DNA sequence: TACAAGAGATTGTATATACAAGCACGGGGG
DNA sequence: CCCCCGTGCTTGTATATACAATCTCTTGTA
C-alpha cells in the first residue's frame, strides 16, 4: 500500500478487497484472508486492516464471524431501497396523540405461501396479531404480524396494551437482518374498515420481514391510508454516500 | 467509563454524548468538548473517543470539522424513514433489458405550489423533463423532474439519450441533503397512459427533493405501476442500529 | 492598514501492542 | 462412543504514541 497516496490507507485496503469481490476473484461465500494475513501481504498495521474490514462489514459487502473469519457476503451488494423506522415514533415526533389497540392475538396454521415466506413447513403453527394505530382517533396504520414460535415462544402471553410488541421481540432475539418492501394496493375489506377508507382509495402496504440468524423471525404487513399518510424523510449528507440519483 | 460493563467503551461514550444531546444539555450547533477533553473527563483513550465521535458523525448526530472542533448537528436526529437508490440500477441488477426515453425537456413557469416547494418566487422559470423507464418494453417508472436553473443552467442543452440526467446533475453540484416521500395514489390520465395502467390501479408515487447547500436543486416525482413494481430491499445488521421495530 | 508567517488547538490517520471473546478441532478420560 | 477441555486461530476492543492536515488567532513586517 502506498502511504503517500491521496487516499487514506484504510480506504485503499477497502478498495483492494472491494475490487477483488467485484472482479469475482473473491466469490460469494468465500473466505477472505484473515487480518494478520492481510497485514503481511499489504504491509499495513492490523488496526488499519481492521477499520477497512469493519467499514466493509457495515456496508454489507462482507460478513465477519469472531473466531472463524471474514467471508464475502451472500447477497450481492444490492441497493437497499428503503430504510424504515418505527411509525409510532414518527407520530410521536409530530406531536400527535397516539393510541394503539391489539385486535387479534392468536395461534394459526401458516398457509403454504406464508410458510414459504417464513421458511417454515406448510401449515406450521405461527402466532398472529393485528395492531391498529390511531392519531387523535384517526386510523393511521394497521399492522398484521406473523411470528415464528421458535423465536418468541411466549409472544401470545405478553401484555401489549402499552404497545411494546416490537420492544418485546427485540428483547427476545437480536434481529440480524430485515427486509422492507412497499407497494400500492387496495386492501381487503376488513382492513379498509379498520382504516376507514373506501374501496377507491389506494393504500400503502409496507411488508417487513426480519431474520434472527438464518431464521425468519417475523413477517408483517403494515397498511397506511393513502389519503392521510405517506412515508418519508430527509437525509443527512453522510447518508448520501450510498445514494445515487435516478 | 466502566471498563467491566457489558457494553464496549466506545459505545458507552456514544451513549454519553447522545444522551447529552437528547436531554438538551448539548443544544443544536453547540460545541462538544474536544477529544482530548473527553479523554481526561471520561478516562478513556483518544482512539476510543475518536471512534465514538466518528460513528456519531456517520449517523448524522454531530458534525466534525478538522481544526475547529465537533458540534451538535443542525437538524435534530429525526428518523430517516426512507433511503432510496437508483431504480435504473435496481433494474439492471435484476438483469432486465432497460431502456429510457425523454418525453419532455423544456422551460416552464413554476406554479405557486411548486415555487413554494422549491423555495423560489412564484412563476419563476424552472426546467422540466419527463423520463420513462422500461424493462423489456414494459413501463416501469415515469419520472417528472423540475430543476432550479440557478443550479444547472445548461440542463436543457444536455444529451440525455443515454439517460445520464442524474449523473449530470451530480457532476454539476454536490447534493447536500435529500428528501424522499412515498405515497399511494391514482395518477393523472397522461401518467396512466405512459405507465399503461387503468384508472382502478393504484400506483406508487415517490417524491424526491434535493438540496445543494440551502438551495432546493430539484423536485421530482417518480410513478410506479402498482401491479408491476414495488420498492424495497434487505438490510444488514449494521443498518439496524438505527432501526426500531413497530 | 494589509498581508504573511507562525503558534496552538483540533480532528484525521497510522502503528505497535495487548488482552478479551468466540469458534473449530483434536486429544484424553469416562 | 460421547463429552470435556485445552490449544490455536480469528475477530473485537482498548491503549499509547506519533505525525499529518486543517482551522483560528496572534504576531510581525512592509
Amino acid at each position: 500500500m502506498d502511504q503517500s497516496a491521496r487516499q487514506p490507507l484504510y480506504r485503499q485496503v477497502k478498495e483492494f478487497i472491494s475490487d477483488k469481490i467485484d472482479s469475482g476473484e473473491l466469490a460469494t461465500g468465500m473466505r477472505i484472508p484473515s487480518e494478520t494475513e492481510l497485514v503481511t501481504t499489504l504491509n499495513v498495521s492490523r488496526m488499519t486492516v481492521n477499520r477497512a474490514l469493519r467499514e466493509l462489514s457495515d456496508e454489507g459487502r462482507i460478513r465477519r464471524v469472531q473466531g472463524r473469519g471474514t467471508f464475502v457476503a451472500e447477497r450481492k451488494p444490492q441497493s437497499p431501497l428503503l430504510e424504515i423506522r418505527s411509525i409510532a415514533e414518527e407520530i410521536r415526533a409530530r406531536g400527535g396523540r397516539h393510541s394503539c389497540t391489539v385486535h387479534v392475538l392468536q395461534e394459526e396454521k401458516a398457509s403454504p405461501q406464508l410458510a414459504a415466506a417464513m421458511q417454515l413447513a406448510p401449515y406450521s403453527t405461527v402466532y398472529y396479531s393485528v395492531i391498529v394505530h390511531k392519531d387523535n382517533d384517526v386510523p393511521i396504520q394497521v399492522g398484521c404480524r406473523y411470528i415464528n414460535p421458535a423465536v418468541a415462544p411466549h409472544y401470545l402471553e405478553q401484555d401489549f396494551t402499552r404497545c411494546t410488541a416490537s420492544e418485546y421481540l427485540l428483547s427476545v432475539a437480536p434481529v440480524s437482518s430485515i427486509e422492507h418492501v412497499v407497494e400500492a394496493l387496495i386492501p381487503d375489506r376488513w382492513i379498509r374498515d379498520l382504516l376507514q377508507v373506501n374501496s377507491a382509495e389506494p393504500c400503502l402496504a409496507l411488508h417487513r420481514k426480519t431474520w434472527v440468524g438464518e431464521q425468519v423471525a417475523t413477517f408483517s404487513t403494515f397498511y397506511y391510508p393513502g389519503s392521510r399518510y405517506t412515508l418519508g424523510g430527509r437525509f443527512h449528507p453522510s447518508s448520501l454516500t450510498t445514494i445515487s440519483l435516478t
Side-chain angles (χ1 to χ4, degrees), chain A residues 107-146:
Chain A
E107 198 169 283
E108 244 184 38
K109 298 294 175 196
S111 72
Q113 295 81 5
L114 177 62
M118 296 187 70
Q119 301 171 11
L120 296 172
Y123 307 110
S124 301
T125 297
V126 292
Y127 299 150
Y128 177 58
S129 62
V130 173
I131 301 176
V132 178
H133 288 256
K134 296 189 179 186
D135 184 18
N136 286 326
D137 285 324
V138 179
I140 287 295
Q141 169 188 285
V142 171
C144 305
R145 176 185 277 136
Y146 295 91

mmCIF file of all heavy atoms in Angstrom, chain A residues 107-146:
data_model
loop_
_atom_site.group_PDB
_atom_site.id
_atom_site.type_symbol
_atom_site.label_atom_id
_atom_site.label_comp_id
_atom_site.label_asym_id
_atom_site.label_seq_id
_atom_site.Cartn_x
_atom_site.Cartn_y
_atom_site.Cartn_z
ATOM 1 N N GLU A 107 -53.056 -18.015 17.672
ATOM 2 C CA GLU A 107 -52.223 -19.013 17.032
ATOM 3 C C GLU A 107 -52.909 -19.418 15.735
ATOM 4 O O GLU A 107 -54.132 -19.420 15.651
ATOM 5 C CB GLU A 107 -52.134 -20.216 17.968
ATOM 6 C CG GLU A 107 -51.012 -21.166 17.706
ATOM 7 C CD GLU A 107 -50.902 -22.141 18.875
ATOM 8 O OE1 GLU A 107 -50.378 -21.754 19.931
ATOM 9 O OE2 GLU A 107 -51.360 -23.275 18.717
ATOM 10 N N GLU A 108 -52.102 -19.773 14.718
ATOM 11 C CA GLU A 108 -52.692 -20.070 13.425
ATOM 12 C C GLU A 108 -51.849 -21.079 12.662
ATOM 13 O O GLU A 108 -50.674 -21.250 12.953
ATOM 14 C CB GLU A 108 -52.763 -18.780 12.583
ATOM 15 C CG GLU A 108 -54.162 -18.340 12.264
ATOM 16 C CD GLU A 108 -54.154 -17.134 11.354
ATOM 17 O OE1 GLU A 108 -53.305 -17.053 10.460
ATOM 18 O OE2 GLU A 108 -55.027 -16.266 11.562
ATOM 19 N N LYS A 109 -52.448 -21.701 11.641
ATOM 20 C CA LYS A 109 -51.681 -22.549 10.742
ATOM 21 C C LYS A 109 -51.253 -21.699 9.553
ATOM 22 O O LYS A 109 -52.079 -21.016 8.941
ATOM 23 C CB LYS A 109 -52.532 -23.728 10.256
ATOM 24 C CG LYS A 109 -52.989 -24.659 11.375
ATOM 25 C CD LYS A 109 -51.796 -25.369 12.001
ATOM 26 C CE LYS A 109 -52.263 -26.208 13.207
ATOM 27 N NZ LYS A 109 -51.135 -26.604 14.057
ATOM 28 N N ALA A 110 -49.974 -21.774 9.206
ATOM 29 C CA ALA A 110 -49.463 -20.952 8.109
ATOM 30 C C ALA A 110 -49.898 -21.535 6.773
ATOM 31 O O ALA A 110 -49.759 -22.736 6.533
ATOM 32 C CB ALA A 110 -47.943 -20.874 8.177
ATOM 33 N N SER A 111 -50.399 -20.670 5.902
ATOM 34 C CA SER A 111 -50.698 -21.087 4.530
ATOM 35 C C SER A 111 -49.380 -21.440 3.839
ATOM 36 O O SER A 111 -48.315 -21.015 4.275
ATOM 37 C CB SER A 111 -51.384 -19.952 3.782
ATOM 38 O OG SER A 111 -50.444 -18.942 3.510
ATOM 39 N N PRO A 112 -49.458 -22.227 2.766
ATOM 40 C CA PRO A 112 -48.222 -22.585 2.061
ATOM 41 C C PRO A 112 -47.410 -21.364 1.644
ATOM 42 O O PRO A 112 -46.179 -21.353 1.765
ATOM 43 C CB PRO A 112 -48.735 -23.358 0.846
ATOM 44 C CG PRO A 112 -50.025 -23.951 1.300
ATOM 45 C CD PRO A 112 -50.624 -22.944 2.238
ATOM 46 N N GLN A 113 -48.091 -20.324 1.159
ATOM 47 C CA GLN A 113 -47.371 -19.115 0.745
ATOM 48 C C GLN A 113 -46.651 -18.475 1.929
ATOM 49 O O GLN A 113 -45.465 -18.134 1.853
ATOM 50 C CB GLN A 113 -48.341 -18.087 0.137
ATOM 51 C CG GLN A 113 -48.995 -18.521 -1.163
ATOM 52 C CD GLN A 113 -50.188 -19.445 -0.926
ATOM 53 O OE1 GLN A 113 -50.574 -19.686 0.226
ATOM 54 N NE2 GLN A 113 -50.743 -19.985 -1.998
ATOM 55 N N LEU A 114 -47.403 -18.296 3.018
ATOM 56 C CA LEU A 114 -46.808 -17.685 4.196
ATOM 57 C C LEU A 114 -45.659 -18.548 4.707
ATOM 58 O O LEU A 114 -44.587 -18.037 5.055
ATOM 59 C CB LEU A 114 -47.863 -17.512 5.291
ATOM 60 C CG LEU A 114 -47.344 -16.955 6.611
ATOM 61 C CD1 LEU A 114 -46.780 -15.555 6.415
ATOM 62 C CD2 LEU A 114 -48.428 -16.959 7.670
ATOM 63 N N ALA A 115 -45.877 -19.859 4.750
ATOM 64 C CA ALA A 115 -44.845 -20.768 5.237
ATOM 65 C C ALA A 115 -43.580 -20.641 4.392
ATOM 66 O O ALA A 115 -42.468 -20.627 4.915
ATOM 67 C CB ALA A 115 -45.363 -22.209 5.208
ATOM 68 N N ALA A 116 -43.770 -20.528 3.081
ATOM 69 C CA ALA A 116 -42.614 -20.385 2.203
ATOM 70 C C ALA A 116 -41.873 -19.093 2.525
ATOM 71 O O ALA A 116 -40.648 -19.070 2.622
ATOM 72 C CB ALA A 116 -43.054 -20.392 0.744
ATOM 73 N N ALA A 117 -42.632 -18.018 2.720
ATOM 74 C CA ALA A 117 -42.006 -16.732 3.015
ATOM 75 C C ALA A 117 -41.232 -16.786 4.325
ATOM 76 O O ALA A 117 -40.211 -16.135 4.479
ATOM 77 C CB ALA A 117 -43.055 -15.632 3.069
ATOM 78 N N MET A 118 -41.752 -17.567 5.268
ATOM 79 C CA MET A 118 -41.116 -17.627 6.574
ATOM 80 C C MET A 118 -40.175 -18.813 6.701
ATOM 81 O O MET A 118 -39.666 -19.100 7.790
ATOM 82 C CB MET A 118 -42.174 -17.667 7.678
ATOM 83 C CG MET A 118 -43.018 -16.411 7.736
ATOM 84 S SD MET A 118 -44.120 -16.355 9.156
ATOM 85 C CE MET A 118 -42.970 -16.138 10.511
ATOM 86 N N GLN A 119 -39.947 -19.517 5.616
ATOM 87 C CA GLN A 119 -39.036 -20.662 5.629
ATOM 88 C C GLN A 119 -39.480 -21.709 6.648
ATOM 89 O O GLN A 119 -38.661 -22.252 7.398
ATOM 90 C CB GLN A 119 -37.595 -20.210 5.917
ATOM 91 C CG GLN A 119 -37.073 -19.211 4.889
ATOM 92 C CD GLN A 119 -35.737 -18.604 5.299
ATOM 93 O OE1 GLN A 119 -35.094 -19.060 6.232
ATOM 94 N NE2 GLN A 119 -35.327 -17.560 4.597
ATOM 95 N N LEU A 120 -40.786 -21.976 6.672
ATOM 96 C CA LEU A 120 -41.321 -22.992 7.578
ATOM 97 C C LEU A 120 -42.011 -24.069 6.749
ATOM 98 O O LEU A 120 -42.279 -23.875 5.561
ATOM 99 C CB LEU A 120 -42.351 -22.366 8.535
ATOM 100 C CG LEU A 120 -41.834 -21.316 9.513
ATOM 101 C CD1 LEU A 120 -42.992 -20.656 10.243
ATOM 102 C CD2 LEU A 120 -40.866 -21.956 10.503
ATOM 103 N N ALA A 121 -42.311 -25.186 7.386
ATOM 104 C CA ALA A 121 -43.081 -26.223 6.709
ATOM 105 C C ALA A 121 -44.521 -25.741 6.547
ATOM 106 O O ALA A 121 -45.042 -25.030 7.415
ATOM 107 C CB ALA A 121 -43.045 -27.516 7.513
ATOM 108 N N PRO A 122 -45.183 -26.104 5.435
ATOM 109 C CA PRO A 122 -46.578 -25.685 5.240
ATOM 110 C C PRO A 122 -47.442 -26.102 6.421
ATOM 111 O O PRO A 122 -47.262 -27.181 6.974
ATOM 112 C CB PRO A 122 -46.990 -26.414 3.954
ATOM 113 C CG PRO A 122 -45.706 -26.663 3.232
ATOM 114 C CD PRO A 122 -44.671 -26.865 4.292
ATOM 115 N N TYR A 123 -48.365 -25.232 6.776
ATOM 116 C CA TYR A 123 -49.313 -25.474 7.871
ATOM 117 C C TYR A 123 -48.630 -25.587 9.234
ATOM 118 O O TYR A 123 -49.186 -26.167 10.154
ATOM 119 C CB TYR A 123 -50.168 -26.708 7.567
ATOM 120 C CG TYR A 123 -50.825 -26.616 6.203
ATOM 121 C CD1 TYR A 123 -50.412 -27.428 5.172
ATOM 122 C CD2 TYR A 123 -51.822 -25.675 5.966
ATOM 123 C CE1 TYR A 123 -50.991 -27.337 3.909
ATOM 124 C CE2 TYR A 123 -52.390 -25.557 4.711
ATOM 125 C CZ TYR A 123 -51.985 -26.384 3.688
ATOM 126 O OH TYR A 123 -52.533 -26.278 2.441
ATOM 127 N N SER A 124 -47.445 -25.038 9.345
ATOM 128 C CA SER A 124 -46.819 -24.945 10.661
ATOM 129 C C SER A 124 -47.622 -23.976 11.519
ATOM 130 O O SER A 124 -48.390 -23.164 11.016
ATOM 131 C CB SER A 124 -45.393 -24.388 10.531
ATOM 132 O OG SER A 124 -44.607 -25.205 9.718
ATOM 133 N N THR A 125 -47.410 -24.064 12.795
ATOM 134 C CA THR A 125 -48.061 -23.129 13.710
ATOM 135 C C THR A 125 -47.291 -21.809 13.732
ATOM 136 O O THR A 125 -46.067 -21.800 13.825
ATOM 137 C CB THR A 125 -48.083 -23.713 15.132
ATOM 138 O OG1 THR A 125 -48.859 -24.909 15.105
ATOM 139 C CG2 THR A 125 -48.688 -22.734 16.111
ATOM 140 N N VAL A 126 -48.032 -20.702 13.595
ATOM 141 C CA VAL A 126 -47.415 -19.383 13.752
ATOM 142 C C VAL A 126 -48.305 -18.550 14.665
ATOM 143 O O VAL A 126 -49.484 -18.861 14.841
ATOM 144 C CB VAL A 126 -47.258 -18.649 12.394
ATOM 145 C CG1 VAL A 126 -46.249 -19.343 11.515
ATOM 146 C CG2 VAL A 126 -48.597 -18.545 11.702
ATOM 147 N N TYR A 127 -47.728 -17.529 15.256
ATOM 148 C CA TYR A 127 -48.519 -16.594 16.051
ATOM 149 C C TYR A 127 -48.893 -15.423 15.159
ATOM 150 O O TYR A 127 -48.172 -15.080 14.232
ATOM 151 C CB TYR A 127 -47.731 -16.114 17.264
ATOM 152 C CG TYR A 127 -47.343 -17.224 18.197
ATOM 153 C CD1 TYR A 127 -46.188 -17.155 18.955
ATOM 154 C CD2 TYR A 127 -48.144 -18.356 18.314
ATOM 155 C CE1 TYR A 127 -45.832 -18.169 19.807
ATOM 156 C CE2 TYR A 127 -47.786 -19.383 19.165
ATOM 157 C CZ TYR A 127 -46.624 -19.298 19.904
ATOM 158 O OH TYR A 127 -46.271 -20.305 20.739
ATOM 159 N N TYR A 128 -50.038 -14.834 15.478
ATOM 160 C CA TYR A 128 -50.607 -13.829 14.597
ATOM 161 C C TYR A 128 -51.212 -12.728 15.440
ATOM 162 O O TYR A 128 -51.863 -12.989 16.443
ATOM 163 C CB TYR A 128 -51.687 -14.492 13.726
ATOM 164 C CG TYR A 128 -52.411 -13.553 12.796
ATOM 165 C CD1 TYR A 128 -51.713 -12.808 11.867
ATOM 166 C CD2 TYR A 128 -53.799 -13.442 12.842
ATOM 167 C CE1 TYR A 128 -52.385 -11.962 11.009
ATOM 168 C CE2 TYR A 128 -54.477 -12.603 11.981
ATOM 169 C CZ TYR A 128 -53.762 -11.859 11.064
ATOM 170 O OH TYR A 128 -54.418 -11.021 10.205
ATOM 171 N N SER A 129 -50.955 -11.488 15.040
ATOM 172 C CA SER A 129 -51.603 -10.394 15.758
ATOM 173 C C SER A 129 -51.868 -9.239 14.805
ATOM 174 O O SER A 129 -51.170 -9.048 13.825
ATOM 175 C CB SER A 129 -50.745 -9.919 16.938
ATOM 176 O OG SER A 129 -49.521 -9.428 16.495
ATOM 177 N N VAL A 130 -52.920 -8.506 15.114
ATOM 178 C CA VAL A 130 -53.281 -7.320 14.328
ATOM 179 C C VAL A 130 -53.309 -6.131 15.276
ATOM 180 O O VAL A 130 -53.971 -6.182 16.319
ATOM 181 C CB VAL A 130 -54.653 -7.491 13.653
ATOM 182 C CG1 VAL A 130 -55.081 -6.183 13.000
ATOM 183 C CG2 VAL A 130 -54.605 -8.607 12.635
ATOM 184 N N ILE A 131 -52.594 -5.102 14.907
ATOM 185 C CA ILE A 131 -52.486 -3.935 15.784
ATOM 186 C C ILE A 131 -52.856 -2.692 14.993
ATOM 187 O O ILE A 131 -52.386 -2.491 13.876
ATOM 188 C CB ILE A 131 -51.056 -3.799 16.343
ATOM 189 C CG1 ILE A 131 -50.700 -5.061 17.132
ATOM 190 C CG2 ILE A 131 -50.933 -2.574 17.215
ATOM 191 C CD1 ILE A 131 -49.283 -5.072 17.642
ATOM 192 N N VAL A 132 -53.707 -1.865 15.571
ATOM 193 C CA VAL A 132 -54.161 -0.648 14.897
ATOM 194 C C VAL A 132 -53.628 0.573 15.640
ATOM 195 O O VAL A 132 -53.793 0.685 16.852
ATOM 196 C CB VAL A 132 -55.703 -0.598 14.836
ATOM 197 C CG1 VAL A 132 -56.152 0.693 14.173
ATOM 198 C CG2 VAL A 132 -56.244 -1.796 14.092
ATOM 199 N N HIS A 133 -52.989 1.445 14.906
ATOM 200 C CA HIS A 133 -52.508 2.699 15.474
ATOM 201 C C HIS A 133 -53.428 3.833 15.061
ATOM 202 O O HIS A 133 -53.836 3.920 13.911
ATOM 203 C CB HIS A 133 -51.095 3.013 14.974
ATOM 204 C CG HIS A 133 -50.042 2.141 15.559
ATOM 205 N ND1 HIS A 133 -49.189 2.557 16.548
ATOM 206 C CD2 HIS A 133 -49.725 0.866 15.304
ATOM 207 C CE1 HIS A 133 -48.373 1.582 16.866
ATOM 208 N NE2 HIS A 133 -48.665 0.531 16.124
ATOM 209 N N LYS A 134 -53.693 4.702 16.020
ATOM 210 C CA LYS A 134 -54.507 5.878 15.710
ATOM 211 C C LYS A 134 -53.821 7.139 16.177
ATOM 212 O O LYS A 134 -53.051 7.122 17.141
ATOM 213 C CB LYS A 134 -55.884 5.766 16.385
ATOM 214 C CG LYS A 134 -56.719 4.608 15.876
ATOM 215 C CD LYS A 134 -58.123 4.673 16.415
ATOM 216 C CE LYS A 134 -58.949 3.501 15.868
ATOM 217 N NZ LYS A 134 -60.368 3.603 16.264
ATOM 218 N N ASP A 135 -54.105 8.222 15.502
ATOM 219 C CA ASP A 135 -53.598 9.525 15.873
ATOM 220 C C ASP A 135 -54.818 10.421 16.050
ATOM 221 O O ASP A 135 -55.501 10.730 15.086
ATOM 222 C CB ASP A 135 -52.680 10.063 14.783
ATOM 223 C CG ASP A 135 -52.050 11.389 15.168
ATOM 224 O OD1 ASP A 135 -52.041 11.705 16.367
ATOM 225 O OD2 ASP A 135 -51.602 12.099 14.275
ATOM 226 N N ASN A 136 -55.086 10.808 17.312
ATOM 227 C CA ASN A 136 -56.300 11.569 17.592
ATOM 228 C C ASN A 136 -57.528 10.854 17.040
ATOM 229 O O ASN A 136 -58.381 11.449 16.393
ATOM 230 C CB ASN A 136 -56.202 12.977 16.997
ATOM 231 C CG ASN A 136 -55.262 13.860 17.790
ATOM 232 O OD1 ASN A 136 -55.170 13.721 19.015
ATOM 233 N ND2 ASN A 136 -54.575 14.739 17.105
ATOM 234 N N ASP A 137 -57.587 9.558 17.285
ATOM 235 C CA ASP A 137 -58.710 8.709 16.885
ATOM 236 C C ASP A 137 -58.836 8.507 15.383
ATOM 237 O O ASP A 137 -59.801 7.900 14.915
ATOM 238 C CB ASP A 137 -60.022 9.259 17.439
ATOM 239 C CG ASP A 137 -60.136 8.980 18.928
ATOM 240 O OD1 ASP A 137 -59.678 7.896 19.358
ATOM 241 O OD2 ASP A 137 -60.650 9.820 19.649
ATOM 242 N N VAL A 138 -57.876 9.007 14.610
ATOM 243 C CA VAL A 138 -57.887 8.757 13.176
ATOM 244 C C VAL A 138 -56.934 7.592 12.884
ATOM 245 O O VAL A 138 -55.767 7.653 13.258
ATOM 246 C CB VAL A 138 -57.419 10.012 12.395
ATOM 247 C CG1 VAL A 138 -57.408 9.727 10.904
ATOM 248 C CG2 VAL A 138 -58.298 11.190 12.727
ATOM 249 N N PRO A 139 -57.426 6.530 12.256
ATOM 250 C CA PRO A 139 -56.556 5.378 11.990
ATOM 251 C C PRO A 139 -55.408 5.775 11.073
ATOM 252 O O PRO A 139 -55.609 6.445 10.056
ATOM 253 C CB PRO A 139 -57.484 4.376 11.296
ATOM 254 C CG PRO A 139 -58.853 4.807 11.654
ATOM 255 C CD PRO A 139 -58.798 6.284 11.812
ATOM 256 N N ILE A 140 -54.230 5.368 11.448
ATOM 257 C CA ILE A 140 -53.017 5.730 10.730
ATOM 258 C C ILE A 140 -52.337 4.501 10.159
ATOM 259 O O ILE A 140 -51.743 4.533 9.095
ATOM 260 C CB ILE A 140 -52.049 6.449 11.700
ATOM 261 C CG1 ILE A 140 -52.543 7.841 12.017
ATOM 262 C CG2 ILE A 140 -50.650 6.512 11.130
ATOM 263 C CD1 ILE A 140 -52.557 8.747 10.832
ATOM 264 N N GLN A 141 -52.439 3.420 10.882
ATOM 265 C CA GLN A 141 -51.715 2.225 10.474
ATOM 266 C C GLN A 141 -52.409 0.986 11.003
ATOM 267 O O GLN A 141 -52.838 0.944 12.142
ATOM 268 C CB GLN A 141 -50.288 2.270 11.027
ATOM 269 C CG GLN A 141 -49.513 0.965 10.887
ATOM 270 C CD GLN A 141 -48.181 1.015 11.620
ATOM 271 O OE1 GLN A 141 -47.251 1.627 11.179
ATOM 272 N NE2 GLN A 141 -48.129 0.340 12.768
ATOM 273 N N VAL A 142 -52.515 -0.022 10.140
ATOM 274 C CA VAL A 142 -52.958 -1.351 10.578
ATOM 275 C C VAL A 142 -51.816 -2.314 10.315
ATOM 276 O O VAL A 142 -51.315 -2.396 9.189
ATOM 277 C CB VAL A 142 -54.213 -1.805 9.814
ATOM 278 C CG1 VAL A 142 -54.524 -3.263 10.127
ATOM 279 C CG2 VAL A 142 -55.398 -0.939 10.177
ATOM 280 N N GLY A 143 -51.385 -2.991 11.352
ATOM 281 C CA GLY A 143 -50.278 -3.922 11.213
ATOM 282 C C GLY A 143 -50.708 -5.356 11.436
ATOM 283 O O GLY A 143 -51.383 -5.653 12.415
ATOM 284 N N CYS A 144 -50.345 -6.246 10.503
ATOM 285 C CA CYS A 144 -50.606 -7.671 10.647
ATOM 286 C C CYS A 144 -49.267 -8.369 10.777
ATOM 287 O O CYS A 144 -48.420 -8.249 9.890
ATOM 288 C CB CYS A 144 -51.334 -8.227 9.423
ATOM 289 S SG CYS A 144 -52.841 -7.345 9.037
ATOM 290 N N ARG A 145 -49.095 -9.076 11.882
ATOM 291 C CA ARG A 145 -47.771 -9.642 12.127
ATOM 292 C C ARG A 145 -47.854 -11.138 12.393
ATOM 293 O O ARG A 145 -48.638 -11.592 13.201
ATOM 294 C CB ARG A 145 -47.139 -8.937 13.324
ATOM 295 C CG ARG A 145 -45.791 -9.509 13.720
ATOM 296 C CD ARG A 145 -45.290 -8.860 14.977
ATOM 297 N NE ARG A 145 -44.642 -7.594 14.711
ATOM 298 C CZ ARG A 145 -44.841 -6.507 15.442
ATOM 299 N NH1 ARG A 145 -45.675 -6.522 16.443
ATOM 300 N NH2 ARG A 145 -44.198 -5.399 15.150
ATOM 301 N N TYR A 146 -47.004 -11.880 11.670
ATOM 302 C CA TYR A 146 -46.835 -13.307 11.918
ATOM 303 C C TYR A 146 -45.493 -13.538 12.588
ATOM 304 O O TYR A 146 -44.479 -12.988 12.149
ATOM 305 C CB TYR A 146 -46.900 -14.100 10.610
ATOM 306 C CG TYR A 146 -48.240 -14.035 9.933
ATOM 307 C CD1 TYR A 146 -48.507 -13.052 8.989
ATOM 308 C CD2 TYR A 146 -49.241 -14.942 10.250
ATOM 309 C CE1 TYR A 146 -49.734 -12.976 8.367
ATOM 310 C CE2 TYR A 146 -50.477 -14.876 9.638
ATOM 311 C CZ TYR A 146 -50.722 -13.888 8.692
ATOM 312 O OH TYR A 146 -51.942 -13.822 8.096
#
